[in-house]
Amino acid sequence: MRQQPTRPRAVSSQPLQPGRRRTVLALSAALVGLGIVGTATAQSAWPSKPVRIVVPFAPGGTTDLLARSLAPELGRVFGQNFIVDNRAGAGGNVGADAVAKSAGDGYTLLMGTVGTHGINQSLYARLPYDPQKDFAPITLVAAVPNVMVMNANRARTLGINTVADFVRYARANPGRLNMASSGNGTSIHLAGELFKARTGVFMTHIPYRGSGPAMADMIAGNVDVMFDNLPSAMPHIQSGSLKAFAVTSAARSPALPDLPTIAEAASLPGFEASSWFGLLAPAGTPPDVVNRLQQEVAKALNEPTIKDRLMSQGAVPSGNTPAEFARLISAEIAKWAPVVKASGARVD
């Protein structure tokens, strides 16, 4: 006897009974509460409003320049304004702490530096944030050497043309020269402290709320020397307002190939105090937001117009992964701790 074919079961189009409907609603609510339902929708909608990039220094420095180079590109890609917000103070700690305490929703980012995320943990007795636990690294934006520069008129008046000339004058006239920086704990400050420690010279340190204000006083002749980030110093070197002596990196900069390193110019083997800048978000920022940002920043940094401009200013663009950037931060904290100790610099 042939078996009758099995008919497909009809799916009821009747509404759920009140008891079953309450059960389904309760289950859905529980899944949303656990982040299982609705998370993808919420994250895919990012960004639905402007995004703020906090620069923890005053306008005009390299941190600010890099943020303002990226902001229009990210705004174009994501269809929302990326607004640069300068929050200067305490060697970058004020702005970094503000981001650390912000919601991890992708709408507040930080252009961090080797100071905020490498040096300050060893330099400051009480840091208001944890540079690793309180942030989600996105990507390294660029690495740059610092450059030892002096007000050109002041250098001519004192007959200082080289690093060796500078060291001779400073040793013969202790305290006559002062040293500007973008703030306590910045690589600009620490490069100068390392130079002082290695050469045995004394200079009065004058911290500012960013490289921009410090550079303005350098140009005006109110301060003598600075170990500035190369991109922000480059226009003034090219205009002749500043006399450049040497770069602080281990190797010469392709942007100024004829300029020696301090290790070469002052016979200081192993001298190295470079800077880097990277984008970070508050801890807890959704991974897909972090990854989308990293991918678009990497693309922007590889655009010929941006890449060539940064390279000509002495910056080396990166765009590495969040994991690679996290490893760099960890390594930099370990690297700078003995340098801070050896320099004797400390901020209470």
Side-chain angles (χ1 to χ4, degrees):
M1 184 175 178
R2 271 195 327 183
Q3 186 176 4
Q4 293 296 321
T6 304
R7 293 183 180 180
R9 295 177 63 185
V11 178
S12 172
S13 61
Q14 296 298 317
L16 293 174
Q17 295 299 317
R20 291 187 63 195
R21 186 171 183 273
R22 283 194 297 270
T23 301
V24 171
L25 290 175
L27 180 58
S28 298
L31 292 174
V32 169
L34 290 171
I36 298 172
V37 174
T39 302
T41 302
Q43 292 177 9
S44 62
W46 180 92
S48 59
K49 61 182 181 180
V51 177
R52 186 167 56 117
I53 303 177
V54 174
V55 170
F57 298 99
T62 300
T63 321
D64 186 65
L65 293 173
L66 290 172
R68 293 183 189 278
S69 293
L70 284 177
E73 291 298 312
L74 295 177
R76 179 182 60 80
V77 169
F78 288 110
Q80 289 288 346
N81 288 331
F82 278 66
I83 302 165
V84 176
D85 180 9
N86 296 88
R87 301 283 295 273
N93 291 347
V94 170
D97 187 47
V99 175
K101 293 177 170 55
S102 296
D105 54 10
Y107 291 98
T108 305
L109 309 175
L110 174 72
M111 185 61 77
T113 70
V114 63
T116 61
H117 282 74
I119 296 172
N120 288 2
Q121 184 162 298
S122 299
L123 185 73
Y124 283 80
R126 290 177 296 275
L127 200 63
Y129 60 89
D130 187 306
Q132 293 177 287
K133 294 180 181 178
D134 291 342
F135 294 88
I138 297 171
T139 188
L140 176 68
V141 173
V144 306
N146 292 3
V147 59
M148 182 182 179
V149 292
M150 192 172 180
N151 177 283
N153 291 331
R154 179 87 164 133
R156 279 193 295 269
T157 299
L158 299 178
I160 299 175
N161 296 303
T162 64
V163 176
D165 292 341
F166 185 93
V167 171
R168 279 193 293 270
Y169 181 89
R171 285 175 176 168
N173 300 274
R176 289 284 299 275
L177 296 174
N178 52 44
M179 175 186 78
S181 84
S182 54
N184 288 314
T186 61
S187 69
I188 295 172
H189 169 212
L190 209 59
E193 293 293 344
L194 187 61
F195 181 83
K196 287 163 61 177
R198 292 289 301 273
T199 59
V201 304
F202 173 74
M203 297 178 285
T204 302
H205 175 223
I206 303 178
Y208 288 78
R209 291 171 65 86
S211 178
M215 186 55 67
D217 262 9
M218 278 281 293
I219 302 302
N222 297 327
V223 285
D224 299 314
V225 68
M226 188 173 173
F227 294 78
D228 194 27
N229 303 141
L230 183 52
S232 53
M234 183 69 87
H236 308 294
I237 295 171
Q238 292 171 333
S239 72
S241 299
L242 295 180
K243 170 70 175 177
F245 295 125
V247 290
T248 65
S249 48
R252 295 190 180 199
S253 169
L256 292 172
D258 295 331
L259 200 65
T261 66
I262 285 181
E264 294 176 290
S267 299
L268 297 175
F271 188 101
E272 196 270 331
S274 298
S275 299
W276 53 258
F277 307 83
L279 205 61
L280 304 104
T285 299
D288 72 328
V289 172
V290 169
N291 290 330
R292 287 176 66 195
L293 279 164
Q294 183 273 326
Q295 290 162 9
E296 295 303 334
V297 170
K299 288 179 187 176
L301 292 174
N302 204 40
E303 287 289 329
T305 52
I306 295 179
K307 184 176 182 178
D308 292 347
R309 182 170 74 248
L310 294 180
M311 292 289 287
S312 70
Q313 294 171 341
V316 180
S318 178
N320 64 2
T321 68
E324 290 168 336
F325 188 25
R327 287 194 292 271
L328 173 68
I329 291 171
S330 180
E332 288 289 283
I333 290 171
K335 167 190 166 181
W336 283 102
V339 176
V340 171
K341 185 177 181 180
S343 73
R346 187 71 173 168
V347 181
D348 294 323

